[in-house]
Amino acid sequence: MNTQLESSVSGLRRGHLELLQGGRVLPLGASGGELEVLHGRVWLTRAGDPDDHFVDFGHSIVVPSSGRVLVTAIDDVRPALVAWHPRGLVERAVAAIHA
């Protein structure tokens, strides 16, 4: 995980859309969920994952509950619009039982 992203500004609430300006970092927590990109392009990085993930407009990525997740817009000029759908408590409990 890129340590420069550690200085996050704010986080997304459940069911919340966020307009993400370039350079602004949002923590998504560690509970897992799905990130949808409704406009623009974002960069997603996860603790313990050596790969960075780039998610384009119209695409989504399922994020496992495996450590802290940060997301930022790629383009400094055009913001990205994202929606974060974190796993609920029941979903996390079921996943823990199956693991």
Side-chain angles (χ1 to χ4, degrees), residues 19-25 41 72-80:
L19 188 62
L20 186 57
Q21 300 290 338
R24 181 168 173 225
V25 177
R41 186 173 194 222
T72 189
I74 296 294
D75 192 335
D76 287 336
V77 177
R78 296 182 338 195

